[in-house]
Amino acid sequence: MKEEVLSVSGLDCENCGGKLHLIHSDKFMKLKSGEKIAFANVPLLMCGGCQKRYIPYQTKEILDEFQQMLENTEHENQPRSIDIVEKEEDKKEFSVEETETWYDFEKIKNMFCNDKFIAEKVKFLYDRDDYYFIPGLVRPWKIGFLTPVFFNIEVLLKYIHHPQYGLDIGADTFGYIYKGDEHYISFGINENNKVIMWLGDIIDLNVEEQFYLRSENVPSDHSIGSEFYEAQIEVQWAEASAERKLLKKRLDFNEKVRDNYNLAVAQLDTETLRVAKNIRKLLVNTNDAFKDLIIPLNELFVEAINNKDISKDLKQKYPELKEELKGKKGIKLLQLWLEKNTTGIDVNVEIAPLFVLYDLRLVSAHLYSDNSREELLESCCTRLGLAETERNYIVIANTLIDKLDEMYDKFIQCLSVMNKGGEEDGE
Ligand SMILES: [Zn+2]
């Protein structure tokens, strides 16, 4: 077989950059004596992109130890204590016919992976193999803590709509749930749109919350490649792409507003969470690829503006704005809010990248005649500081990302921060 031993941390395929997930499959092995043996149900990692397989080190260790045990046993001529499994299907492998003995890895595994997991009051569906065989999750001092528990994405609906809770994303596949303005629990979203939380985080919540979560709990699909996983195994955030840094900055701004004004400026829905995974660096210069980036960006940065709460906040604090607020929404509403709550910047100028994003969404959607489309694109390029003739979508997208990033920097810096008495402290 051609599996490689996985030596890198992270779940990215060396071959194609795809995400690895855990599978259970056959593994063939030759003993020193020349005997050909095979194992069924062996945990391996497989790339969803190119199907390349890797052996997790925990699997390798168990196989090595078992092999040694077999070879010693043969010398001592003792009977084997492990049940032999007959396996008849899957004869395509050249070595299947020659295989003299089949072992069930499931049974061997239980000799090695039998730690007592952290105690749960509510019984969740999860697979201990995820904890043992997905690299980087074993913590001898907190056994089972980092076991991924999977949910339908609808599990998030409560936190999106419940007045006491809030929800936001800090990267395209990593998010936070808030209770009031406190972090409550973090979650990831995998390539199959399943929500993932760590077992250890879940059992710290009160039992009622756990029963709610249990109602949307589904069996593991063994796929946890996401920023959620990467954050846990401490992948360097310094290597984060410009797109990912922008998402983080957006979250920083939203959190600062949440902390100081008890206001959620963004209101996400499950569809936005799904499309946010498509926010990736633009690699090809085509309108289709451009559209695939601009649509989720616009959905997250513009369409997710929380019109209802921003409007309410402004009405409460500035009753004189009542008329002006009528019919105002989206970027213009956010702009008005920022004008009232920042010092030292011209919001009208600084917020321009959001309007450009909105216009680029229109450009990419082909809703206009070629002429007006061309005009709008010219205007976008000019406002981004590019030549009005710029037509390389990669250049346009990268510039837009940079400008949005700078915009959030300014907003974060210039937000009037309240002290506990509700007075501005002038910083
Ligand atoms: Zn691959």
Side-chain angles (χ1 to χ4, degrees):
M1 297 292 279
K2 279 169 272 161
E3 298 95 1
E4 287 180 15
V5 177
L6 188 73
S7 55
V8 290
S9 57
L11 288 175
D12 296 327
C13 175
E14 287 175 355
N15 206 21
C16 74
K19 293 287 179 206
L20 307 183
H21 59 271
L22 196 72
I23 57 162
H24 293 84
S25 187
D26 299 340
K27 174 93 189 92
F28 298 82
M29 194 187 261
K30 209 169 172 182
L31 297 179
K32 276 180 200 154
S33 63
E35 188 188 355
K36 288 164 186 155
I37 61 170
F39 300 86
N41 300 316
V42 182
L44 299 171
L45 292 163
M46 186 165 88
C47 171
C50 69
Q51 318 293 312
K52 188 181 166 82
R53 294 171 174 216
Y54 299 81
I55 312 176
Y57 19 69
Q58 183 76 357
T59 302
K60 177 95 171 57
E61 239 175 68
I62 293 175
L63 286 174
D64 286 352
E65 206 157 318
F66 186 72
Q67 181 182 4
Q68 232 165 28
M69 216 172 76
L70 276 184
E71 282 168 349
N72 292 341
T73 308
E74 276 168 359
H75 283 298
E76 290 155 25
N77 244 350
Q78 282 169 1
R80 293 170 192 171
S81 59
I82 298 295
D83 292 351
I84 295 165
V85 190
E86 293 296 335
K87 178 109 186 194
E88 293 186 348
E89 48 184 17
D90 218 8
K91 299 240 178 200
K92 279 164 262 163
E93 290 293 340
F94 78 94
S95 43
V96 169
E97 293 83 18
E98 306 166 63
T99 302
E100 290 155 46
T101 317
W102 278 91
Y103 295 94
D104 187 353
F105 192 87
E106 199 65 33
K107 293 182 178 162
I108 302 165
K109 181 180 77 186
N110 294 335
M111 304 191 300
F112 297 91
C113 304
N114 51 13
D115 304 293
K116 192 170 162 17
F117 262 38
I118 44 176
E120 334 146 55
K121 287 200 182 103
V122 177
K123 293 288 167 205
F124 283 89
L125 304 172
Y126 57 82
D127 191 334
R128 285 169 170 246
D129 279 10
D130 291 342
Y131 171 74
Y132 283 111
F133 296 100
I134 293 174
L137 301 184
V138 170
R139 298 285 186 277
W141 61 96
K142 265 185 182 175
I143 291 162
F145 192 97
L146 293 179
T147 308
V149 183
F150 294 74
F151 303 91
N152 292 315
I153 199 164
E154 286 76 18
V155 74
L156 299 177
L157 287 174
K158 168 179 173 182
Y159 307 103
I160 289 172
H161 296 296
H162 195 297
Q164 276 180 10
Y165 297 90
L167 177 149
D168 211 338
I169 52 175
D172 43 9
T173 57
F174 184 14
Y176 296 100
I177 292 168
Y178 304 86
K179 191 169 186 180
D181 51 16
E182 302 285 316
H183 278 220
Y184 189 53
I185 193 166
S186 51
F187 65 90
I189 302 177
N190 76 5
E191 53 193 350
N192 306 319
N193 289 322
K194 295 284 181 279
V195 169
I196 316 161
M197 298 179 192
W198 300 122
L199 181 62
D201 284 340
I202 292 171
I203 65 172
D204 278 348
L205 302 175
N206 69 47
V207 174
E208 288 76 16
E209 195 73 64
Q210 292 186 42
F211 275 116
Y212 167 72
L213 291 174
R214 179 64 181 80
S215 72
E216 293 288 347
N217 180 201
V218 292
S220 169
D221 65 14
H222 310 292
S223 172
I224 67 166
S226 71
E227 284 90 5
F228 179 65
Y229 165 78
E230 289 169 13
Q232 208 64 54
I233 59 159
E234 290 164 357
V235 163
Q236 293 293 312
W237 277 79
E239 296 165 18
S241 65
E243 290 73 19
R244 205 183 278 185
K245 282 181 189 153
L246 171 62
L247 292 181
K248 180 70 173 57
K249 213 158 269 179
R250 173 192 162 281
L251 180 75
D252 289 346
F253 170 74
N254 290 0
E255 286 197 338
K256 197 170 176 188
V257 175
R258 197 183 282 273
D259 281 355
N260 288 284
Y261 298 86
N262 195 24
L263 168 66
V265 287
Q267 165 84 342
L268 305 188
D269 53 32
T270 50
E271 181 52 25
T272 308
L273 293 167
R274 280 195 195 107
V275 299
K277 286 190 302 178
N278 300 325
I279 298 175
R280 293 261 182 271
K281 187 171 270 319
L282 193 60
L283 297 173
V284 288
N285 179 25
T286 65
N287 185 73
D288 276 348
F290 186 62
K291 191 172 76 182
D292 288 346
L293 171 66
I294 294 297
I295 287 176
L297 270 183
N298 185 63
E299 201 155 311
L300 187 59
F301 287 79
V302 179
E303 286 171 35
I305 292 173
N306 188 350
N307 294 318
K308 191 169 139 246
D309 288 1
I310 297 175
S311 227
K312 196 170 127 201
D313 184 76
L314 281 169
K315 265 180 212 155
Q316 274 170 2
K317 288 174 189 150
Y318 308 95
E320 71 276 13
L321 292 178
K322 206 179 160 200
E323 277 309 303
E324 198 181 334
L325 280 168
K326 272 187 187 155
K328 204 179 267 282
K329 56 182 184 149
I331 311 175
K332 287 189 174 144
L333 179 64
L334 179 64
Q335 180 178 348
L336 182 59
W337 188 88
L338 284 164
E339 278 163 6
K340 295 290 178 192
N341 294 289
T342 51
T343 45
I345 48 165
D346 186 349
V347 175
N348 186 34
V349 172
E350 304 300 343
I351 206 164
L354 278 184
F355 284 105
V356 176
L357 169 59
Y358 181 80
D359 288 347
L360 286 173
R361 165 76 184 87
L362 300 178
V363 165
S364 68
H366 280 294
L367 296 170
Y368 296 96
S369 68
D370 284 355
N371 277 346
S372 21
R373 187 177 177 273
E374 197 59 21
E375 254 172 54
L376 191 54
L377 188 52
E378 269 175 26
S379 149
C380 287
C381 289
T382 311
R383 285 180 283 157
L384 288 174
L386 297 166
E388 65 172 29
T389 52
E390 182 61 66
R391 289 300 174 267
N392 184 329
Y393 288 119
I394 297 176
V395 172
I396 298 172
N398 289 348
T399 311
L400 174 69
I401 302 272
D402 286 349
K403 296 283 180 191
L404 285 168
D405 195 89
E406 285 168 24
M407 177 194 82
Y408 275 112
D409 270 342
K410 292 231 170 91
F411 290 167
I412 291 168
Q413 245 171 42
C414 299
L415 203 60
S416 316
V417 175
M418 305 285 185
N419 62 31
K420 293 235 164 73
E423 299 287 318
E424 292 185 22
D425 66 13
E427 280 199 316

